[in-house]
Amino acid sequence: MSILDLFQKGGWIMWPLLIFSIVTWALAFEKIYGLSRFKMELSNIIDQLKKLVSENKLHEAKGVCLNLNPILSAPLSAVLDKKENKTHWESKVQREFDKSSLGLKKFLWVIATIGSASPFLGLFGTVSGIISSFESMSSAGRGGFNVIAGGLSEALITTAAGIIVAVMALFIFNYLSNEVIKLKVEFKSKLEELVELVE
């Protein structure tokens, strides 16, 4: 039996599960690409800013930040915009870093929601399949495996599909969450290095 046959036997519940799967993989590739690009830009820009700051070229350093991704540029601009009041300056840097941290986690909640909702959607398909089996028995006026086979098949297929989509989404979510945590630690470390140099 082919995957297409299983999909058709699973009933209409298979369509939202397919959409969940496509959305999960699309967001996964988008996040992997975005995080890897952010990491590369972070490494390059920090080296460039350190060089400019060490040469006391703060104006040029601020100009460089204007062309960056806002998630990256906002905290860096806050570091370069040194205030007389050190407490206010450090607070602003921390606020911008916190905002950027939220930006790095963008769309992860969607993957987490899919991971949580998919088993329930599969369970709904299970209930739908069982109801279909009882309707078949009622229409036929008798029991037997041949009568209820279609409904049971739909129930088992949707259950399995829901679990597969959920496990896939959970794995992707955990992987991306770990990558975001590591990137946040690296980003904060780089910011602290730049703060020390500006001071």
Side-chain angles (χ1 to χ4, degrees):
M1 186 179 292
S2 67
I3 294 177
L4 182 59
D5 290 334
L6 288 173
F7 186 88
Q8 291 174 339
K9 286 180 180 292
W12 68 270
I13 290 292
M14 297 297 287
W15 285 104
L17 288 174
L18 176 63
I19 293 171
F20 277 6
S21 180
I22 292 172
V23 169
T24 299
W25 281 110
L27 291 178
F29 287 124
E30 190 274 337
K31 290 301 294 182
I32 290 171
Y33 172 76
L35 292 176
S36 61
R37 184 174 179 180
F38 182 91
K39 185 175 182 179
M40 183 174 63
E41 287 183 355
L42 175 62
S43 179
N44 293 336
I45 197 62
I46 288 295
D47 291 338
Q48 189 176 352
L49 292 179
K50 280 182 177 180
K51 184 175 183 298
L52 291 171
V53 171
S54 63
E55 296 173 354
N56 202 28
K57 297 179 179 178
L58 288 179
H59 185 72
E60 288 86 341
K62 291 177 183 178
V64 170
C65 292
L66 295 177
N67 300 320
L68 299 174
N69 184 323
I71 295 177
L72 186 58
S73 67
L76 293 174
S77 297
V79 172
L80 297 172
D81 189 23
K82 189 175 185 302
K83 305 294 184 183
E84 293 298 325
N85 189 313
K86 183 178 178 181
T87 302
H88 290 171
W89 176 48
E90 292 179 344
S91 296
K92 183 180 179 182
V93 172
Q94 184 61 48
R95 283 197 305 272
E96 294 299 338
F97 173 76
D98 292 339
K99 291 178 185 177
S100 293
S101 297
L102 291 176
L104 290 174
K105 293 190 289 185
K106 186 179 180 182
F107 295 130
L108 285 183
W109 69 270
V110 177
I111 299 175
T113 302
I114 289 173
S116 301
S118 294
F120 294 105
L121 195 56
L123 183 61
F124 183 78
T126 304
V127 174
S128 175
I130 293 173
I131 291 172
S132 177
S133 295
F134 281 112
E135 287 179 346
S136 297
M137 289 174 61
S138 177
S139 299
R142 60 186 175 83
F145 182 76
N146 290 335
V147 177
I148 64 173
L152 289 179
S153 176
E154 177 184 332
L156 294 174
I157 290 171
T158 55
T159 301
I163 292 172
I164 290 171
V165 174
V167 169
M168 173 193 69
L170 183 61
F171 174 81
I172 292 173
F173 174 77
N174 287 335
Y175 170 77
L176 291 175
S177 295
N178 188 55
E179 290 299 304
V180 167
I181 290 172
K182 290 192 293 186
L183 195 52
K184 281 171 59 179
V185 171
E186 182 180 353
F187 190 17
K188 189 168 186 178
S189 176
K190 298 285 188 184
L191 281 177
E192 290 172 348
E193 291 175 10
L194 193 60
V195 166
E196 291 175 1
L197 191 60
V198 171
E199 282 184 314

